[in-house]
Amino acid sequence: MTDQGYAGIPRERIPWHPTIIAEKCTKCGVCVSFCHQGVYADAEDGPEVRNPFKCIVGCTGCSNECPAGAISFPTLVELRDALARLRKEYGILGG
């Protein structure tokens, strides 16, 4: 677990992080270089999502940079719904 939260919600509870689509990935490493949060790391078989909960909630910058289109995220509707559910669960008003 990290010590970071998001609007009062533990970051690990928020289902927001990239997924690498292996069939599309060319192993160019752009994602590793682009992400300053350390979400990605080089591995033997190409880049991997090593620290998913370091991903900034709502950020999709790496996906835009990937020349192969090999990075996906949940939809913003899925994120919105998850945050609403978690706010309710944690008793957080508004949002």
Side-chain angles (χ1 to χ4, degrees):
M1 295 207 14
T2 67
D3 58 2
Q4 297 180 19
Y6 177 82
I9 302 167
R11 178 60 184 90
E12 293 80 9
R13 297 290 317 276
I14 302 169
W16 183 266
H17 55 79
T19 299
I20 298 173
I21 304 164
E23 300 79 33
K24 290 185 174 183
C25 182
T26 61
K27 302 173 178 57
C28 69
V30 167
C31 55
V32 177
S33 300
F34 178 81
C35 181
H36 297 288
Q37 302 302 313
V39 172
Y40 299 95
D42 285 316
E44 188 174 312
D45 293 330
E48 68 180 21
V49 178
R50 189 164 297 164
N51 299 299
F53 298 114
K54 287 187 174 184
C55 185
I56 296 171
V57 175
C59 180
T60 60
C62 58
S63 179
N64 298 330
E65 294 295 313
C66 178
I71 299 172
S72 68
F73 282 89
T75 68
L76 292 178
V77 170
E78 291 170 325
L79 174 60
R80 180 199 65 201
D81 292 348
L83 289 174
R85 178 183 49 79
L86 288 164
R87 279 189 203 98
K88 187 173 184 179
E89 182 179 324
Y90 283 89
I92 300 167
L93 302 176

XYZ file of all heavy atoms in Angstrom:
714
model
N 0.836 -1.187 0.000
C 0.000 0.000 0.000
C 0.875 1.242 0.000
O 1.944 1.243 0.551
C -0.906 0.020 1.229
C -1.895 -1.095 1.213
S -3.472 -0.929 2.065
C -3.739 0.721 2.473
N 0.376 2.276 -0.625
C 1.080 3.543 -0.595
C 0.443 4.416 0.465
O -0.639 4.145 0.950
C 0.999 4.260 -1.960
O -0.344 4.647 -2.180
C 1.505 3.394 -3.088
N 1.139 5.496 0.817
C 0.574 6.400 1.806
C -0.236 7.503 1.141
O -0.743 8.392 1.802
C 1.680 6.988 2.683
C 2.736 7.727 1.877
O 2.610 7.824 0.642
O 3.687 8.226 2.499
N -0.388 7.451 -0.163
C -1.131 8.474 -0.882
C -2.598 8.090 -0.980
O -2.951 6.936 -1.107
C -0.563 8.644 -2.280
C 0.870 9.127 -2.292
C 1.381 9.288 -3.708
O 0.629 9.378 -4.642
N 2.684 9.297 -3.839
N -3.428 9.092 -0.938
C -4.846 8.886 -1.130
C -5.332 9.794 -2.237
O -4.583 10.600 -2.776
N -6.586 9.666 -2.563
C -7.195 10.511 -3.576
C -8.527 10.989 -3.029
O -9.452 10.185 -2.869
C -7.389 9.731 -4.875
C -8.075 10.521 -5.963
C -7.354 11.412 -6.752
C -9.435 10.402 -6.183
C -7.974 12.144 -7.740
C -10.070 11.135 -7.169
C -9.332 12.008 -7.943
O -9.946 12.739 -8.919
N -8.604 12.261 -2.695
C -9.834 12.852 -2.165
C -10.396 12.064 -0.986
O -11.600 11.869 -0.877
C -10.867 12.990 -3.282
N -9.509 11.603 -0.113
C -9.942 10.875 1.067
C -10.134 9.381 0.867
O -10.519 8.675 1.786
N -9.865 8.899 -0.341
C -10.029 7.478 -0.663
C -8.636 6.864 -0.819
O -7.807 7.414 -1.538
C -10.821 7.297 -1.975
C -12.194 7.952 -1.867
C -10.941 5.822 -2.334
C -12.915 8.094 -3.194
N -8.360 5.739 -0.171
C -7.061 5.094 -0.374
C -6.846 4.796 -1.862
O -7.721 4.248 -2.533
C -7.169 3.799 0.435
C -8.226 4.072 1.449
C -9.201 4.990 0.771
N -5.696 5.185 -2.374
C -5.422 5.048 -3.810
C -5.586 3.612 -4.296
O -6.036 3.366 -5.425
C -4.002 5.572 -4.118
C -3.579 5.447 -5.570
C -4.525 6.222 -6.492
N -4.173 6.013 -7.880
C -4.652 5.041 -8.645
N -5.522 4.171 -8.145
N -4.296 4.910 -9.900
N -5.261 2.647 -3.483
C -5.333 1.241 -3.877
C -6.763 0.769 -4.137
O -6.975 -0.262 -4.757
C -4.697 0.348 -2.808
C -3.211 0.531 -2.673
C -2.815 1.747 -1.845
O -3.699 2.382 -1.217
O -1.622 2.087 -1.832
N -7.728 1.516 -3.652
C -9.135 1.147 -3.857
C -9.682 1.655 -5.188
O -10.737 1.235 -5.625
C -9.997 1.709 -2.723
C -9.700 1.177 -1.339
C -10.098 -0.277 -1.140
N -11.384 -0.654 -1.685
C -12.563 -0.506 -1.088
N -12.628 0.007 0.119
N -13.678 -0.885 -1.687
N -8.964 2.584 -5.810
C -9.451 3.210 -7.044
C -8.953 2.419 -8.249
O -7.751 2.307 -8.472
C -8.996 4.677 -7.132
C -9.516 5.446 -5.908
C -9.478 5.315 -8.438
C -8.913 6.819 -5.753
N -9.876 1.863 -9.030
C -9.488 1.027 -10.164
C -9.059 1.858 -11.377
O -9.725 1.890 -12.409
C -10.759 0.224 -10.449
C -11.864 1.155 -10.061
C -11.333 1.926 -8.874
N -7.942 2.557 -11.221
C -7.434 3.385 -12.317
C -5.942 3.140 -12.482
O -5.140 3.529 -11.637
C -7.656 4.874 -12.052
C -7.196 5.682 -13.226
C -5.964 6.255 -13.397
C -7.927 5.946 -14.411
N -5.889 6.874 -14.616
C -7.103 6.689 -15.266
C -9.206 5.624 -14.839
C -7.510 7.123 -16.516
C -9.616 6.054 -16.080
C -8.774 6.798 -16.898
N -5.602 2.464 -13.549
C -4.202 2.255 -13.918
C -4.170 1.707 -15.336
O -5.174 1.187 -15.831
C -3.491 1.313 -12.946
C -4.158 -0.010 -12.783
N -4.030 -1.030 -13.707
C -4.977 -0.479 -11.823
C -4.731 -2.071 -13.305
N -5.326 -1.755 -12.167
N -3.033 1.828 -16.002
C -2.949 1.353 -17.378
C -2.837 -0.155 -17.464
O -2.425 -0.828 -16.512
C -1.665 2.006 -17.902
C -0.822 2.176 -16.683
C -1.788 2.459 -15.558
N -3.215 -0.652 -18.621
C -2.996 -2.055 -18.981
C -2.276 -2.054 -20.314
O -2.654 -1.307 -21.222
C -4.347 -2.795 -19.128
O -5.031 -2.757 -17.867
C -4.146 -4.240 -19.551
N -1.237 -2.841 -20.416
C -0.514 -2.967 -21.685
C -1.131 -4.116 -22.473
O -1.230 -5.239 -21.970
C 0.990 -3.217 -21.455
C 1.614 -2.033 -20.728
C 1.695 -3.477 -22.791
C 3.057 -2.241 -20.310
N -1.529 -3.836 -23.694
C -2.085 -4.856 -24.577
C -0.914 -5.530 -25.274
O -0.318 -4.984 -26.212
C -3.062 -4.227 -25.593
C -4.152 -3.453 -24.852
C -3.653 -5.300 -26.505
C -4.923 -2.488 -25.725
N -0.540 -6.707 -24.780
C 0.682 -7.387 -25.221
C 0.743 -7.608 -26.728
O 1.813 -7.482 -27.329
C 0.823 -8.719 -24.487
N -0.401 -7.914 -27.331
C -0.421 -8.195 -28.771
C -0.074 -6.966 -29.605
O 0.357 -7.094 -30.744
C -1.797 -8.716 -29.207
C -2.234 -9.992 -28.525
C -2.780 -9.764 -27.108
O -3.403 -8.715 -26.837
O -2.545 -10.633 -26.257
N -0.286 -5.785 -29.048
C 0.005 -4.546 -29.773
C 1.366 -3.946 -29.426
O 1.928 -3.184 -30.202
C -1.064 -3.493 -29.477
C -2.408 -3.775 -30.069
C -3.329 -2.589 -29.786
C -4.653 -2.721 -30.478
N -5.487 -1.512 -30.245
N 1.876 -4.264 -28.242
C 3.102 -3.639 -27.736
C 4.312 -4.001 -28.594
O 4.574 -5.172 -28.856
C 3.344 -4.063 -26.291
S 4.805 -3.299 -25.545
N 5.049 -2.964 -29.015
C 6.271 -3.175 -29.812
C 7.523 -3.115 -28.946
O 8.631 -3.170 -29.466
C 6.369 -2.125 -30.931
O 6.433 -0.820 -30.331
C 5.189 -2.228 -31.882
N 7.338 -2.962 -27.644
C 8.436 -2.920 -26.674
C 9.381 -1.739 -26.910
O 10.575 -1.819 -26.662
C 9.200 -4.244 -26.668
C 8.326 -5.431 -26.347
C 9.080 -6.743 -26.525
C 8.260 -7.941 -26.180
N 7.029 -8.143 -26.854
N 8.823 -0.622 -27.386
C 9.637 0.558 -27.688
C 10.100 1.288 -26.430
O 11.094 2.003 -26.457
C 8.890 1.514 -28.613
S 7.470 2.345 -27.846
N 9.368 1.151 -25.326
C 9.747 1.787 -24.066
C 9.311 3.230 -23.907
O 9.690 3.886 -22.935
N 8.503 3.742 -24.830
C 8.025 5.124 -24.715
C 7.273 5.317 -23.400
O 7.428 6.341 -22.734
C 7.156 5.523 -25.935
C 6.407 6.813 -25.683
C 8.017 5.652 -27.170
N 6.471 4.349 -23.010
C 5.699 4.466 -21.765
C 6.611 4.593 -20.554
O 6.358 5.401 -19.650
C 4.746 3.288 -21.613
S 5.526 1.660 -21.700
N 7.675 3.817 -20.538
C 8.620 3.846 -19.419
C 9.277 5.221 -19.333
O 9.398 5.801 -18.258
C 9.692 2.744 -19.565
C 10.709 2.827 -18.437
C 9.052 1.369 -19.595
N 9.685 5.750 -20.484
C 10.331 7.063 -20.529
C 9.367 8.195 -20.216
O 9.731 9.175 -19.570
C 10.932 7.309 -21.912
O 11.891 6.337 -22.220
N 8.137 8.079 -20.686
C 7.164 9.161 -20.547
C 6.653 9.333 -19.126
O 6.526 10.453 -18.649
C 5.976 8.925 -21.491
C 4.914 9.967 -21.361
C 5.038 11.187 -21.996
C 3.785 9.737 -20.588
C 4.066 12.165 -21.869
C 2.798 10.707 -20.458
C 2.941 11.924 -21.095
N 6.346 8.264 -18.447
C 5.695 8.332 -17.142
C 6.691 8.700 -16.040
O 7.567 7.913 -15.694
C 5.021 7.004 -16.801
S 4.168 7.058 -15.210
N 6.495 9.889 -15.488
C 7.380 10.356 -14.414
C 6.950 9.857 -13.040
O 7.592 10.161 -12.046
C 7.444 11.888 -14.414
C 8.036 12.443 -15.661
N 9.371 12.354 -15.946
C 7.457 13.035 -16.732
C 9.613 12.908 -17.125
N 8.460 13.328 -17.638
N 5.874 9.095 -12.999
C 5.377 8.552 -11.733
C 5.987 7.186 -11.421
O 5.771 6.650 -10.344
C 3.853 8.435 -11.766
C 3.143 9.745 -12.024
C 3.495 10.807 -10.996
O 3.488 10.548 -9.793
N 3.829 11.986 -11.468
N 6.698 6.598 -12.380
C 7.298 5.285 -12.156
C 6.307 4.145 -12.227
O 6.507 3.104 -11.603
N 5.239 4.322 -12.991
C 4.225 3.279 -13.124
C 4.786 2.092 -13.899
O 4.542 0.936 -13.567
C 2.951 3.833 -13.811
C 1.963 2.717 -14.127
C 2.313 4.896 -12.936
N 5.572 2.391 -14.926
C 6.119 1.348 -15.803
C 7.568 1.036 -15.459
O 8.281 1.861 -14.903
C 6.087 1.819 -17.260
C 4.723 2.121 -17.781
C 4.221 3.419 -17.756
C 3.930 1.118 -18.307
C 2.960 3.699 -18.241
C 2.668 1.396 -18.803
C 2.185 2.690 -18.765
O 0.946 2.968 -19.251
N 7.989 -0.164 -15.855
C 9.390 -0.559 -15.723
C 9.736 -1.471 -16.893
O 8.873 -2.164 -17.436
C 9.618 -1.287 -14.403
N 10.999 -1.438 -17.273
C 11.472 -2.375 -18.290
C 11.560 -3.762 -17.679
O 12.007 -3.918 -16.545
C 12.857 -1.961 -18.803
C 12.790 -0.771 -19.735
O 11.910 -0.751 -20.611
O 13.630 0.140 -19.590
N 11.123 -4.741 -18.429
C 11.198 -6.131 -17.993
C 11.759 -6.959 -19.152
O 11.915 -6.455 -20.263
C 9.820 -6.636 -17.581
N 12.010 -8.188 -18.901
C 12.608 -9.068 -19.912
C 11.753 -9.145 -21.176
O 12.279 -9.163 -22.288
C 12.778 -10.467 -19.314
C 13.558 -11.402 -20.206
C 13.838 -12.728 -19.527
O 14.281 -12.709 -18.367
O 13.612 -13.756 -20.177
N 10.441 -9.174 -21.017
C 9.534 -9.289 -22.168
C 8.978 -7.952 -22.633
O 7.987 -7.916 -23.352
C 8.376 -10.227 -21.818
C 8.842 -11.657 -21.624
O 9.831 -12.054 -22.258
O 8.214 -12.372 -20.823
N 9.589 -6.849 -22.226
C 9.119 -5.527 -22.606
C 8.594 -4.778 -21.398
O 8.683 -5.259 -20.269
N 8.040 -3.602 -21.620
C 7.543 -2.801 -20.496
C 6.434 -3.517 -19.740
O 5.673 -4.290 -20.320
C 6.986 -1.541 -21.167
C 7.548 -1.533 -22.535
C 7.841 -2.949 -22.901
N 6.378 -3.232 -18.441
C 5.292 -3.775 -17.627
C 4.797 -2.702 -16.674
O 5.522 -1.763 -16.353
C 5.745 -5.008 -16.849
C 6.765 -4.728 -15.771
C 7.186 -5.984 -15.008
O 7.007 -7.097 -15.528
O 7.700 -5.824 -13.895
N 3.550 -2.852 -16.252
C 2.972 -1.958 -15.255
C 3.400 -2.514 -13.898
O 2.837 -3.472 -13.403
C 1.431 -1.897 -15.379
C 0.846 -1.003 -14.291
C 1.030 -1.413 -16.761
N 4.416 -1.893 -13.327
C 4.985 -2.404 -12.087
C 4.398 -1.720 -10.846
O 4.306 -2.329 -9.782
C 6.505 -2.237 -12.089
C 7.131 -2.953 -10.911
C 8.597 -3.173 -11.023
N 8.951 -4.036 -12.149
C 10.180 -4.126 -12.640
N 11.158 -3.408 -12.140
N 10.428 -4.925 -13.650
N 4.029 -0.463 -10.965
C 3.501 0.303 -9.831
C 2.170 0.955 -10.223
O 2.080 2.173 -10.372
C 4.510 1.380 -9.417
C 5.822 0.785 -8.980
O 5.884 0.026 -8.029
N 6.884 1.121 -9.692
N 1.121 0.151 -10.390
C -0.136 0.682 -10.921
C -0.768 1.783 -10.088
O -1.409 2.683 -10.631
C -1.041 -0.550 -10.975
C -0.461 -1.507 -9.995
C 1.022 -1.256 -10.026
N -0.580 1.757 -8.778
C -1.250 2.738 -7.942
C -0.458 4.029 -7.789
O -0.865 4.929 -7.058
C -1.630 2.128 -6.603
C -2.597 0.987 -6.790
C -2.234 -0.301 -6.476
C -3.842 1.215 -7.339
C -3.116 -1.354 -6.681
C -4.738 0.173 -7.552
C -4.361 -1.117 -7.220
N 0.647 4.137 -8.514
C 1.338 5.418 -8.621
C 0.765 6.240 -9.776
O 1.082 7.410 -9.927
C 2.838 5.213 -8.812
C 3.550 4.751 -7.564
C 5.040 4.740 -7.779
C 5.769 4.414 -6.492
N 7.228 4.493 -6.690
N -0.076 5.611 -10.581
C -0.700 6.300 -11.709
C -1.621 7.396 -11.175
O -2.392 7.167 -10.241
C -1.500 5.308 -12.551
S -2.189 6.017 -14.049
N -1.529 8.569 -11.766
C -2.380 9.681 -11.373
C -3.797 9.401 -11.857
O -4.015 9.118 -13.035
C -1.851 10.999 -11.958
C -0.471 11.303 -11.368
C -2.829 12.135 -11.705
C 0.238 12.453 -12.031
N -4.744 9.470 -10.947
C -6.141 9.181 -11.270
C -6.616 10.128 -12.367
O -6.527 11.340 -12.234
C -7.033 9.288 -10.021
C -8.494 9.112 -10.379
C -6.604 8.255 -8.975
N -7.083 9.543 -13.461
C -7.588 10.308 -14.590
C -6.563 10.594 -15.676
O -6.923 11.035 -16.759
N -5.289 10.344 -15.422
C -4.246 10.617 -16.414
C -4.201 9.506 -17.459
O -4.238 8.320 -17.111
C -2.882 10.725 -15.734
S -1.531 11.073 -16.893
N -4.129 9.887 -18.727
C -3.988 8.928 -19.824
C -2.866 9.343 -20.771
O -2.832 8.928 -21.925
C -5.297 8.798 -20.624
O -5.631 10.086 -21.168
C -6.437 8.274 -19.775
N -1.966 10.185 -20.297
C -0.908 10.722 -21.143
C -0.072 9.657 -21.832
O 0.259 9.787 -23.016
N 0.249 8.596 -21.144
C 1.085 7.542 -21.728
C 0.377 6.866 -22.896
O 1.012 6.499 -23.892
C 1.491 6.522 -20.679
S 0.086 5.719 -19.855
N -0.923 6.720 -22.773
C -1.701 6.102 -23.844
C -1.615 6.945 -25.118
O -1.499 6.407 -26.222
C -3.156 5.953 -23.406
O -3.927 5.390 -24.426
N -1.658 8.250 -24.953
C -1.550 9.153 -26.098
C -0.163 9.106 -26.724
O -0.017 9.364 -27.917
C -1.878 10.582 -25.677
C -3.296 10.727 -25.176
O -4.186 10.016 -25.610
N -3.511 11.641 -24.248
N 0.848 8.807 -25.939
C 2.230 8.769 -26.430
C 2.602 7.437 -27.079
O 3.532 7.371 -27.870
C 3.207 9.036 -25.281
C 3.113 10.429 -24.709
C 3.517 11.499 -25.700
O 4.567 11.342 -26.358
O 2.776 12.497 -25.810
N 1.897 6.373 -26.742
C 2.241 5.035 -27.247
C 1.987 4.958 -28.756
O 0.843 5.033 -29.210
C 1.398 3.976 -26.529
S 1.716 2.297 -27.120
N 3.048 4.773 -29.554
C 2.870 4.756 -31.002
C 2.095 3.543 -31.509
O 1.522 3.578 -32.601
C 4.301 4.763 -31.552
C 5.149 4.250 -30.448
C 4.458 4.633 -29.173
N 2.042 2.484 -30.717
C 1.352 1.263 -31.136
C -0.085 1.194 -30.628
O -0.819 0.264 -30.965
C 2.126 0.037 -30.655
N -0.488 2.151 -29.804
C -1.831 2.109 -29.233
C -2.019 0.913 -28.322
O -3.098 0.318 -28.269
N -0.968 0.568 -27.584
C -0.970 -0.650 -26.772
C -1.300 -0.422 -25.298
O -1.144 -1.326 -24.486
C 0.391 -1.338 -26.893
N -1.746 0.770 -24.954
C -2.057 1.072 -23.554
C -3.526 1.426 -23.444
O -4.031 2.274 -24.173
C -1.191 2.224 -23.034
C 0.287 1.828 -23.111
C -1.585 2.597 -21.603
C 1.243 2.954 -22.795
N -4.211 0.761 -22.517
C -5.621 1.054 -22.303
C -5.866 1.409 -20.839
O -5.071 1.072 -19.959
C -6.496 -0.129 -22.720
O -6.290 -1.216 -21.851
N -6.966 2.091 -20.618
C -7.411 2.489 -19.287
C -8.893 2.186 -19.176
O -9.583 2.064 -20.189
C -7.217 4.001 -19.082
C -5.812 4.410 -18.783
C -4.931 4.706 -19.806
C -5.362 4.509 -17.479
C -3.626 5.087 -19.543
C -4.062 4.887 -17.198
C -3.192 5.182 -18.229
N -9.426 2.134 -17.946
C -10.874 2.076 -17.795
C -11.470 3.333 -18.436
O -10.773 4.339 -18.597
C -11.089 2.096 -16.278
C -9.789 1.639 -15.695
C -8.736 2.121 -16.645
N -12.730 3.303 -18.752
C -13.363 4.493 -19.308
C -13.567 5.525 -18.197
O -13.565 5.181 -17.005
C -14.731 4.171 -19.938
O -15.643 3.800 -18.892
C -14.628 3.073 -20.984
N -13.754 6.770 -18.596
C -14.013 7.810 -17.607
C -15.355 7.604 -16.917
O -15.522 7.969 -15.752
C -13.933 9.191 -18.259
C -12.519 9.584 -18.710
C -12.547 10.947 -19.382
C -11.534 9.563 -17.554
N -16.287 6.977 -17.593
C -17.571 6.640 -16.963
C -17.341 5.599 -15.865
O -17.894 5.711 -14.760
C -18.586 6.133 -18.008
C -19.831 5.565 -17.350
C -18.960 7.253 -18.972
N -16.524 4.595 -16.147
C -16.200 3.584 -15.123
C -15.506 4.230 -13.934
O -15.796 3.897 -12.780
C -15.330 2.483 -15.723
C -16.049 1.614 -16.725
C -15.134 0.691 -17.498
O -13.979 1.064 -17.801
O -15.587 -0.422 -17.822
N -14.592 5.161 -14.202
C -13.904 5.865 -13.121
C -14.896 6.681 -12.300
O -14.887 6.619 -11.069
C -12.802 6.774 -13.685
C -12.094 7.672 -12.667
C -11.410 6.844 -11.587
C -11.101 8.581 -13.380
N -15.756 7.429 -12.967
C -16.759 8.240 -12.281
C -17.630 7.380 -11.367
O -17.867 7.710 -10.206
C -17.633 8.964 -13.299
C -18.710 9.826 -12.652
C -19.831 10.159 -13.591
N -20.534 8.919 -13.950
C -21.285 8.778 -15.017
N -21.446 9.768 -15.871
N -21.898 7.639 -15.275
N -18.091 6.261 -11.892
C -18.959 5.381 -11.115
C -18.219 4.772 -9.923
O -18.775 4.671 -8.819
C -19.536 4.280 -11.999
C -20.515 4.813 -13.044
O -20.925 5.997 -12.950
O -20.850 4.047 -13.962
N -16.970 4.385 -10.130
C -16.173 3.813 -9.042
C -15.936 4.853 -7.947
O -16.052 4.548 -6.752
C -14.845 3.281 -9.569
N -15.624 6.080 -8.350
C -15.399 7.133 -7.355
C -16.671 7.452 -6.582
O -16.628 7.667 -5.362
C -14.840 8.385 -8.027
C -13.402 8.278 -8.512
C -13.009 9.528 -9.292
C -12.435 8.026 -7.369
N -17.802 7.463 -7.264
C -19.079 7.708 -6.574
C -19.345 6.622 -5.547
O -19.757 6.909 -4.404
C -20.212 7.790 -7.589
N -19.124 5.376 -5.928
C -19.333 4.256 -5.009
C -18.385 4.352 -3.816
O -18.789 4.158 -2.660
C -19.115 2.942 -5.755
C -19.261 1.702 -4.884
C -18.965 0.415 -5.652
N -17.723 0.427 -6.408
C -16.503 0.230 -5.866
N -16.368 0.037 -4.577
N -15.429 0.230 -6.635
N -17.117 4.672 -4.081
C -16.127 4.759 -3.007
C -16.389 5.955 -2.086
O -16.202 5.853 -0.877
C -14.717 4.817 -3.597
C -14.243 3.501 -4.201
C -13.028 3.719 -5.097
C -13.944 2.482 -3.121
N -16.823 7.068 -2.652
C -17.180 8.224 -1.808
C -18.282 7.844 -0.836
O -18.238 8.185 0.341
C -17.629 9.407 -2.671
C -16.518 10.196 -3.249
C -17.050 11.473 -3.901
N -16.121 11.937 -4.893
C -16.228 11.698 -6.201
N -17.255 11.036 -6.689
N -15.317 12.131 -7.035
N -19.270 7.136 -1.338
C -20.378 6.695 -0.492
C -19.855 5.737 0.583
O -20.207 5.856 1.760
C -21.444 6.030 -1.351
C -22.704 5.695 -0.608
C -23.773 5.188 -1.546
C -25.072 4.932 -0.810
N -26.119 4.457 -1.702
N -19.031 4.799 0.173
C -18.472 3.812 1.106
C -17.661 4.466 2.204
O -17.709 4.058 3.374
C -17.590 2.826 0.324
C -16.998 1.729 1.158
C -16.152 0.773 0.315
O -16.508 0.500 -0.843
O -15.112 0.307 0.849
N -16.908 5.523 1.871
C -16.063 6.203 2.838
C -16.752 7.397 3.510
O -16.140 8.105 4.295
C -14.737 6.646 2.192
C -13.790 5.490 2.030
C -13.804 4.706 0.881
C -12.878 5.167 3.028
C -12.938 3.630 0.737
C -12.023 4.096 2.893
C -12.057 3.328 1.747
O -11.203 2.256 1.612
N -18.020 7.615 3.166
C -18.774 8.691 3.792
C -18.297 10.070 3.402
O -18.354 11.004 4.204
N -17.834 10.206 2.167
C -17.343 11.493 1.682
C -18.467 12.187 0.927
O -19.001 11.647 -0.026
C -16.109 11.295 0.771
C -14.998 10.596 1.557
C -15.647 12.623 0.197
C -13.861 10.085 0.691
N -18.795 13.384 1.361
C -19.870 14.137 0.733
C -19.372 14.895 -0.480
O -18.203 15.255 -0.561
C -20.478 15.117 1.734
C -21.048 14.491 3.009
C -21.536 15.580 3.948
C -22.185 13.537 2.661
N -20.264 15.172 -1.381
C -19.925 15.992 -2.549
C -19.145 15.214 -3.575
O -19.137 14.000 -3.605
N -18.420 15.958 -4.415
C -17.557 15.335 -5.389
C -18.176 15.276 -6.701
O -17.822 14.788 -7.644
